[in-house]
Amino acid sequence: MSESALEISTLASLSAIAPEDWDACAGAETADGLRPVDPFTTHRFLNLLETSGSVGSGTGWLPRHLAVQDKDKVVAVAPLYVKGHSQGEYIFDHGWAHAWERAGGRYYPKLQIAVPFTPVTGRRFLTRPGCRAACYEALWNGALHIATENRLSSVHVTFCVEDEAVRGRELGFLHRVTRQYRWVNKGYEDFDGFLSALSSRKRKAIRRERRIAQSFGGEIVALTGDAIQPGHWDAFWEFYQDTGARKWGRPYLTRAFFDQARDQLADDILLILAIREGCPVAGAMNFVGRETIFGRYWGAIEYHDCLHFELCYYQAIDYAIAHGLGAVEAGAQGDHKLARGYLPTETHSLHWVADSGFASAVEEYLEAERAAVDDDIEVLTSYGPFRKVKEEPE
């Protein structure tokens, strides 16, 4: 495939491309009818963000997706947005924006290749099998062309996979490393098998937390697909509103997202609910990929000690072990996850800044930040809950 023969276009909506063409690039592994590796780059997820009004006009996330064609065949795509702010990204560049504007420039709008509101690592340059080498640069060049033609400040690719970060760095783009927490299934037969890998003190602490959480006065259920009833969606919307109002000022996702998710995403979602006297009082929403559970949202209308840890972390581990999944990704931030078996891992992003002087300053900052993140991960891992020496499990 010759890069010069490729045609690049922008899409103002996911509705402008057939789901099968997008998904042939985003998740060719789904051709066998099984789950995608990354449920967030599927056409159904990204399109639902648009049709529900969670992104689009007035949200600060204006879709301008990239599509690459070789003759009449779509061979690559990328989820691209014109951003009017830096909210819902989880790779924070507010300091860059403030410095840019103090110097008299206009930082927004900028371009973002990302999945909105989703701090989950995944491919961002989505190509059909065998097309990756030629299409990677085509997608990059497409984004840069839009930025330069419109005199935009910058282009950002957030939560990309490591090989994309390496390739982008080779092409001269700025590479940023941050961290988040991930639990890895090392072939555990059950939750007790996982606990046996921990130090005695941490085993006791987790068992105690689970006992406290499970004594809240009701039952905990894990639901997916048709088992998630309309009342469950209603309850979780209430949980999500409460958490969103406290953390972000306003929830990113609309009520329409949850209403439509019932029909379009239910098989991708694992909803873990605490139900007392027939009423859900707390819950955690996860997405399930082929190999990984992705923890996304949590909320509650009643406080019960340790219930957050149980629903968000321990129940996800239980489900992953029972279904042979390899990992649980617990989302952004939260050093409290460390004591619960979730260890720090690197995340990657790429950045292009139009002003060369500003780009040099950012590059210097990112170099120091990468070293600090490396040290941070090493120290945090050393404080993790896993046994350091051979110790007989209880």
Side-chain angles (χ1 to χ4, degrees):
M1 178 185 297
S2 169
E3 185 179 346
S4 61
L6 300 176
E7 180 181 343
I8 307 173
S9 59
T10 59
L11 310 173
S13 170
L14 260 292
S15 64
I17 185 172
E20 57 268 24
D21 286 338
W22 181 278
D23 289 341
C25 303
E29 72 278 1
T30 60
D32 57 14
L34 298 178
R35 292 186 183 277
V37 170
D38 180 358
F40 302 107
T41 55
T42 60
H43 188 280
R44 59 181 175 271
F45 181 83
L46 294 170
N47 188 56
L48 182 52
L49 292 178
E50 296 179 15
T51 60
S52 67
S54 301
V55 303
S57 179
T59 69
W61 291 85
L62 192 64
R64 286 296 181 269
H65 309 301
L66 296 176
V68 178
Q69 288 186 255
D70 183 16
K71 299 178 182 176
D72 293 330
K73 183 179 181 180
V74 177
V75 293
V77 294
L80 176 66
Y81 299 86
V82 180
K83 286 299 307 298
H85 50 60
S86 291
Q87 298 169 15
E89 298 174 9
Y90 303 95
I91 298 295
F92 303 113
D93 64 346
H94 300 88
W96 305 0
H98 293 158
W100 188 284
E101 291 169 1
R102 282 198 302 270
R106 183 184 178 193
Y107 193 72
Y108 304 109
K110 61 179 182 175
L111 292 184
Q112 190 98 13
I113 297 177
V115 176
F117 326 126
T118 308
V120 170
T121 293
R123 291 190 303 125
R124 297 293 175 256
F125 300 91
L126 309 171
T127 68
R128 288 181 184 261
C131 301
R132 192 150 182 77
C135 291
Y136 184 101
E137 290 190 42
L139 290 167
W140 249 124
N141 291 336
L144 293 185
H145 177 76
I146 295 171
T148 54
E149 283 291 299
N150 293 279
R151 298 184 179 181
L152 302 183
S153 68
S154 50
V155 181
H156 309 266
V157 184
T158 46
F159 293 100
C160 59
V161 295
E162 186 174 5
D163 74 305
E164 290 175 332
V166 170
R167 181 65 178 135
R169 192 168 56 197
E170 291 171 350
L171 293 173
F173 300 102
L174 306 179
H175 177 208
R176 189 172 195 179
V177 176
T178 50
R179 64 169 172 83
Q180 60 183 200
Y181 289 92
R182 178 184 178 94
W183 177 86
V184 176
N185 185 354
K186 298 182 179 179
Y188 305 120
E189 292 186 3
D190 51 27
F191 196 90
D192 281 340
F194 157 61
L195 289 180
S196 70
L198 307 185
S199 69
S200 175
R201 184 169 63 88
K202 294 299 184 182
R203 284 198 299 272
K204 292 176 181 177
I206 289 175
R207 284 174 176 151
R208 178 178 177 275
E209 285 184 346
R210 298 204 78 178
R211 283 195 303 271
I212 292 172
Q214 292 174 7
S215 66
F216 76 100
E219 63 172 340
I220 296 172
V221 297
L223 307 170
T224 189
D226 292 340
I228 309 176
Q229 298 297 304
H232 299 140
W233 291 107
D234 293 342
F236 196 82
W237 166 248
E238 189 173 356
F239 303 155
Y240 175 73
Q241 277 190 304
D242 178 68
T243 301
R246 286 186 288 104
K247 287 192 173 184
W248 315 303
R250 71 172 183 85
Y252 294 136
L253 301 176
T254 64
R255 175 60 197 255
F257 177 91
F258 291 89
D259 291 339
Q260 296 175 38
R262 180 178 60 198
D263 299 320
Q264 300 176 36
L265 298 179
D267 289 339
D268 294 327
I269 290 174
L270 169 66
L271 197 60
I272 299 172
L273 296 175
I275 300 176
R276 190 172 62 81
E277 297 179 354
C279 177
V281 298
M285 177 180 283
N286 306 268
F287 281 72
V288 183
R290 180 170 293 202
E291 302 165 357
T292 305
I293 294 176
F294 303 95
R296 294 303 304 116
Y297 303 110
W298 141 268
I301 57 173
E302 294 181 0
Y303 174 79
H304 294 278
D305 197 18
C306 298
L307 197 57
H308 172 259
F309 303 142
E310 177 66 22
L311 298 190
C312 293
Y313 309 132
Y314 303 142
Q315 287 285 327
I317 290 174
D318 270 335
Y319 190 93
I321 293 172
H323 291 82
L325 300 174
V328 180
E329 292 196 8
Q333 306 172 333
D335 291 347
H336 59 277
K337 298 166 186 171
L338 182 67
R340 286 145 191 106
Y342 291 75
L343 295 182
T345 186
E346 288 185 346
T347 57
H348 302 272
S349 59
L350 292 167
H351 308 271
W352 173 85
V353 179
D355 184 273
S356 59
F358 194 85
S360 295
V362 170
E363 183 176 22
E364 184 176 340
Y365 166 78
L366 293 181
E367 184 177 350
E369 185 184 49
R370 285 195 299 271
V373 169
D374 285 345
D375 290 344
D376 196 28
I377 289 176
E378 183 177 356
V379 170
L380 286 170
T381 301
S382 72
Y383 281 104
F386 292 90
R387 287 184 283 126
K388 305 299 188 298
V389 295
K390 187 172 179 60
E391 173 187 323
E392 288 298 323
E394 294 177 352

